[in-house]
Amino acid sequence: MIEMLWEQPIRDLSIASIMDGTGLSRPAFYQYFPNVHGLVEQLLADLEVELVAAAMPWFTAVGDSRAALRDSLRGIIAVCIENGPVFRAISESAPLDARLELAWTEFMGRWDDSVSERIALEQKAGAIGPLNGVAIAVALNRLDASTLIAEFGRRPQGDPEAVLDSLYHIWIKALYTKPIQGFEGLPS
Amino acid sequence: MIEMLWEQPIRDLSIASIMDGTGLSRPAFYQYFPNVHGLVEQLLADLEVELVAAAMPWFTAVGDSRAALRDSLRGIIAVCIENGPVFRAISESAPLDARLELAWTEFMGRWDDSVSERIALEQKAGAIGPLNGVAIAVALNRLDASTLIAEFGRRPQGDPEAVLDSLYHIWIKALYTKPIQGFEGLPS
DNA sequence: CATTCTACTGACTTGCTGTCAGCACGTCGG
DNA sequence: CCGACGTGCTGACAGCAAGTCAGTAGAATG
């Protein structure tokens, strides 16, 4: 199935077409998964392990963590180059099933928690200024997810270096840049 | 249908349930739209008009445009507070139909073009530094779309002021902040 | 009043999902 | 060696929503 996702979006896959490649009959599918969304949920769990591993550098960095942030983003991008269509299929399927939607929400929530926590840590150390860490974390994670899926979720894939530069730029500026006189606190 | 989207996700709507509220039969639906995705495509066209109008301030600002950027974001947020579930339904449906997916891609592409153009303009005026305007524009637009849909696409909706602050923070930092010595050009 | 047009409907076909009784085959106690 | 049981799988069935179509009722037209 994963191979098929490189060739066609998940909307074009039926259980029959998935099972065609296995030599088994369609009902055999239900011996292993309750439905297609159950299979996708499994793919998400597998992908999460890889992504978390790739993101370690920044979460565990000591001292100046900006280089580690770049390493983490590079690692995540590498995982997405290998698994982009799977990532895309998951995000496209999530809204179609309540249970899968919950799994996706929790998946994103764990990233939000991890990033928020890291921001709080660096704020305590003085490396990051007094911003709303949770809200910024949520926004940056959504940025990453949609960018990665859009750039690597189908062929032709985007340019890894350009994506890395863009994401890194935004993360660095949003988190590590000190307020500049006159740029903040504009009247609303 | 729009009213129903406040109560339930679009996956739970069938053509039959949509037509139930109209007093007409199910086949009558096909007199007006080729299928549900055709209806959603129309919703997207309508929403785009509202969003573009709300975003005008920044695109037309002269001189220091940072306050105008805040106004544009506030306007877009206001539109999403009124139409969040519609926006969400569109983005959730887009992957399910090739034609609607194209409409969505073009919709996002027009935002990317407008924002890229504005960035180039401000770079020429010296307000924005030498960054990859197109790539940053694409990333920021995806950030906005996913954040707005997540925060306002269902009840309970998020806090407009908090969302405004977060988005504004990221846009301002990513675009208008000058490079800081030692923060850029880290070894990769 | 006769004719045409238009909006609409009941009934049908199609395609995919999910279920279930049953079959082939391997395994194990006697 | 044999009969009972488990397991993995399948063909066939039922359900459901989408999309199609011939046909109808009522308004518009001459």
Side-chain angles (χ1 to χ4, degrees):
Chain A
M1 175 197 186
I2 292 174
E3 287 163 18
M4 298 173 86
L5 289 175
W6 283 94
E7 308 300 330
Q8 53 194 319
I10 195 169
R11 67 167 171 268
D12 291 338
L13 295 190
S14 64
I15 292 180
S17 69
I18 293 170
M19 296 306 286
D20 271 353
T22 67
L24 295 181
S25 68
R26 195 175 59 76
F29 176 90
Y30 297 94
Q31 296 245 325
Y32 303 93
F33 305 100
N35 50 41
V36 192
H37 304 309
L39 192 169
V40 174
E41 199 175 335
Q42 184 59 54
L43 294 178
L44 173 58
D46 296 345
L47 188 59
E48 183 171 10
V49 172
E50 281 199 67
L51 287 170
V52 167
M56 283 309 291
W58 187 59
F59 292 121
T60 60
V62 291
D64 187 337
S65 61
R66 287 166 295 160
L69 173 58
R70 194 164 234 266
D71 289 338
S72 286
L73 288 171
R74 177 178 294 106
I76 289 171
I77 287 173
V79 172
C80 289
I81 288 174
E82 292 298 317
N83 304 281
V86 174
F87 202 11
R88 178 183 164 208
I90 296 166
S91 76
E92 289 180 353
S93 300
L96 306 183
D97 180 76
R99 185 185 157 96
L100 183 57
E101 187 174 51
L102 179 64
W104 174 260
T105 303
E106 290 174 346
F107 165 79
M108 290 301 294
R110 284 187 287 276
W111 287 101
D112 294 342
D113 293 343
S114 302
V115 172
S116 300
E117 191 184 330
R118 179 72 203 186
I119 290 174
L121 193 77
E122 301 216 17
Q123 283 178 319
K124 206 160 291 177
I128 293 180
L131 45 75
N132 182 340
V134 175
I136 298 291
V138 170
L140 290 176
N141 282 330
R142 294 203 213 295
L143 164 72
D144 282 10
S146 38
T147 299
L148 292 166
I149 289 165
E151 297 290 335
F152 305 118
R154 78 195 73 192
R155 283 203 257 252
Q157 293 184 320
D159 174 15
E161 285 305 314
V163 174
L164 175 58
D165 286 343
S166 298
L167 292 182
Y168 180 67
H169 173 90
I170 295 176
W171 276 72
I172 285 289
K173 296 292 188 173
L175 292 179
Y176 293 91
T177 303
K178 294 280 186 288
I180 293 179
Q181 201 57 276
F183 274 69
E184 298 291 309
L186 288 172
S188 51
Chain B
M1 175 198 187
I2 292 175
E3 287 163 18
M4 299 173 84
L5 288 175
W6 283 94
E7 307 302 329
Q8 53 194 317
I10 194 167
R11 66 166 170 267
D12 291 337
L13 294 191
S14 63
I15 292 180
S17 69
I18 292 171
M19 296 306 286
D20 272 352
T22 68
L24 296 181
S25 69
R26 196 174 58 76
F29 177 90
Y30 296 96
Q31 295 245 323
Y32 303 93
F33 304 100
N35 50 41
V36 192
H37 304 308
L39 192 170
V40 175
E41 199 174 335
Q42 183 60 53
L43 294 178
L44 173 58
D46 296 345
L47 188 60
E48 182 170 11
V49 173
E50 280 199 68
L51 287 170
V52 167
M56 283 308 292
W58 187 59
F59 291 122
T60 60
V62 291
D64 188 338
S65 62
R66 286 167 293 159
L69 173 59
R70 195 164 234 268
D71 289 338
S72 287
L73 288 172
R74 178 180 292 104
I76 288 172
I77 288 172
V79 172
C80 289
I81 288 174
E82 292 298 316
N83 304 280
V86 174
F87 202 11
R88 178 184 164 207
I90 296 166
S91 76
E92 288 181 354
S93 299
L96 305 184
D97 179 75
R99 185 186 158 95
L100 183 58
E101 188 174 49
L102 179 64
W104 174 259
T105 303
E106 290 175 345
F107 165 78
M108 290 302 293
R110 284 188 287 277
W111 286 101
D112 294 342
D113 293 344
S114 302
V115 172
S116 300
E117 192 184 328
R118 180 72 204 185
I119 289 175
L121 193 77
E122 300 216 19
Q123 283 178 319
K124 207 160 291 176
I128 294 180
L131 45 76
N132 182 342
V134 175
I136 298 293
V138 171
L140 290 176
N141 281 331
R142 293 203 213 295
L143 164 73
D144 282 11
S146 37
T147 299
L148 292 166
I149 289 165
E151 296 291 334
F152 304 118
R154 79 195 71 193
R155 281 201 258 254
Q157 293 185 320
D159 173 16
E161 284 305 312
V163 174
L164 175 58
D165 286 343
S166 298
L167 292 181
Y168 181 67
H169 173 90
I170 295 177
W171 276 72
I172 284 289
K173 297 292 189 175
L175 293 178
Y176 293 90
T177 303
K178 294 281 187 289
I180 293 179
Q181 201 57 273
F183 273 69
E184 298 291 308
L186 288 172
S188 51

